Structure formats: structure tokens, C-alpha cells
Amino acid sequence: QQQVKQSPQSLIVQKGGIPIINCAYENTAFDYFPWYQQFPGKGPALLIAIRPDVSEKKEGRFTISFNKSAKQFSLHIMDSQPGDSATYFCAATPYSGAGSYQLTFGKGTKLSVIP
Amino acid sequence: DTGVSQDPRHKITKRGQNVTFRCDPISEHNRLYWYRQTLGQGPEFLTYFQNEAQLEKSRLLSDRFSAERPKGSFSTLEIQRTEQGDSAMYLCASSPKTGGSNEQFFGPGTRLTVL
């Protein structure tokens, strides 16, 4: 059972474009939603995270939009650069623990930003 | 470098052999996690420690797998009688307890290849 569904699987944009990656979750106990960036051969790096008490969060060129009623959240990358080419993962976990701190990840989106 | 470190970075072994990986978390992070990532997939949770106590284990952690964190600092993950299906990237992450944050910071991973 896949608890976090991520789309698209791959995405190609031109430099300066705004790629958008979408995730949907099923478990209503989830209330912490991070995004990770992973380059080949490296571990995932935490980019930005949101809790459902806000609908949007911005950090630099990265923005998370959150729709609690639809149980969906998305990552927008403003003014994308070739250096942003990587695989992006959304994830979810219960923030307060509830006995579990494990992150449940989506399957990832491979982003290519072409010059 | 004050990030999560893992050793070795790569391990090639023959089927049936035992392997052990080490993870050193960020200093003063008392939560430590192990994940497994196969090609084209997101990381999957294996187990979680708070200090030296192993508090959560995934069903993915078969009886051939054992993890320890004896003094609440570094952790080891051992796989006995390795199988080809164990080939994957093994990721370690750590997070601080204070503030209730579940921000998890990942190491570079250990890539295991079972021949």
C-alpha cells in the first residue's frame, strides 16, 4: 500500500521555468511533510518542510503549497537552474510522534533543467 | 564536517556472507534511523533508535537484519547470510529530540552489491 503518491515520475523544464511536483497522501495521522533533493550517489538532503496549519511556505526559490482537505501538497521551484537537476522526494510523518517517527516517501520525481 | 557519516560507502559481497555497516549521527542528535533505497524508489524505513533503545522496526527488517546503537551514539546495521535482493543503498539519518522536530538529516549512504 503506497501511502504517499508522487507525480510526475520525470519532468523536463527549460532554465527559468517553474517545475511543479505533486504529492497526495492517505494517512490522516500525517502532519509533517518534508521535501528532499537527491543527487546521484548521494543521500537525500532536506530542502523544505511544512505542517498543515499553513497553506504555503517559501524558502528561497522553493515553495510548498498544501491543501489539507484534498490531502495534497506540491513543490514549486522558481527560476529553475541546471544545478537543480536531481531527484525530488516528498515524504510524510506524524509530527507529534504518535509512537512513530518513520518517514514515508513518495517514489520520486527526476527533474532535468535544460539550459 | 558535522553531518551524518556512514562507512563504508560501497560494499561488494558474495551471497551468503555477512556484512556490517556503521553510521555516526550528527553530534547530540538522539534519534537515529535506518532506511533502504532501491534503484528508482524512495527510501523505505527499516528501524529507529532513540538513544540506545530500538523503538520501532519495519516488517522489511527480516531476522537476518540486526541493528544496534550500544551507547546511544553510533549505530551498526548487520545483514547475515546476504541475498541478491539485499542489494540496495542503506541510508542512515538522525534528528534532534528537542522541540519536537522530526527533521531527519541523511548521510551519504552505503551502497551494497550482493553477487
Side-chain angles (χ1 to χ4, degrees):
Chain A
Q1 178 186 4
Q2 185 186 355
Q3 295 192 57
V4 179
K5 294 184 179 180
Q6 184 171 346
S7 63
Q9 188 174 1
S10 63
L11 189 55
I12 301 173
V13 299
Q14 287 202 312
K15 177 183 174 182
I18 306 176
I20 301 172
I21 304 170
N22 300 298
C23 284
Y25 64 97
E26 300 166 3
N27 188 343
T28 54
F30 289 155
D31 63 357
Y32 174 74
F33 304 90
W35 284 89
Y36 285 84
Q37 178 190 58
Q38 187 174 32
F39 293 103
K42 306 292 185 183
L46 179 63
L47 265 182
I48 185 172
I50 197 169
R51 293 198 63 212
D53 52 351
V54 297
S55 60
E56 186 176 276
K57 183 175 181 179
K58 292 183 181 180
E59 286 187 5
R61 295 185 295 110
F62 301 95
T63 299
I64 300 179
S65 298
F66 190 87
N67 186 330
K68 186 175 181 178
S69 61
K71 291 187 287 185
Q72 294 176 347
F73 58 110
S74 60
L75 176 70
H76 303 230
I77 305 175
M78 305 302 178
D79 187 27
S80 59
Q81 301 295 314
D84 296 329
S85 298
T87 299
Y88 293 81
F89 293 95
C90 62
T93 189
Y95 181 84
S96 59
S100 174
Y101 293 91
Q102 62 174 278
L103 284 169
T104 300
F105 283 84
K107 290 193 172 184
T109 297
K110 185 174 182 180
L111 172 65
S112 299
V113 181
I114 54 178
Chain B
D1 184 13
T2 57
V4 177
S5 61
Q6 293 187 245
D7 184 70
R9 295 293 309 278
H10 304 273
K11 179 69 177 179
I12 300 174
T13 190
K14 293 182 179 180
R15 188 176 53 157
Q17 298 295 304
N18 298 344
V19 295
T20 300
F21 310 140
R22 176 179 169 127
C23 170
D24 286 89
I26 294 171
S27 178
E28 298 180 357
H29 279 192
N30 64 342
R31 293 178 181 158
L32 186 147
Y33 314 79
W34 286 98
Y35 291 81
R36 181 174 72 183
Q37 185 177 26
T38 53
L39 202 61
Q41 301 295 316
E44 295 175 293
F45 172 79
L46 292 177
T47 191
Y48 151 66
F49 289 85
Q50 182 161 304
N51 300 312
E52 66 277 6
Q54 188 174 19
L55 298 184
E56 193 173 3
K57 291 196 287 187
S58 161
R59 283 176 291 181
L60 291 175
L61 211 68
S62 75
D63 55 7
R64 295 186 298 106
F65 287 70
S66 63
E68 295 183 343
R69 194 182 182 199
K71 295 184 179 180
S73 56
F74 73 91
S75 175
T76 58
L77 178 68
E78 181 183 16
I79 309 174
Q80 296 182 326
R81 304 181 304 281
T82 52
E83 301 173 356
Q84 288 185 326
D86 296 331
S87 295
M89 175 81 89
Y90 290 84
L91 294 162
C92 176
S94 69
S95 67
K97 181 181 180 183
T98 56
S101 169
N102 198 19
E103 290 181 326
Q104 295 185 24
F105 299 91
F106 283 81
T110 294
R111 180 163 295 285
L112 172 66
T113 302
V114 181
L115 301 176

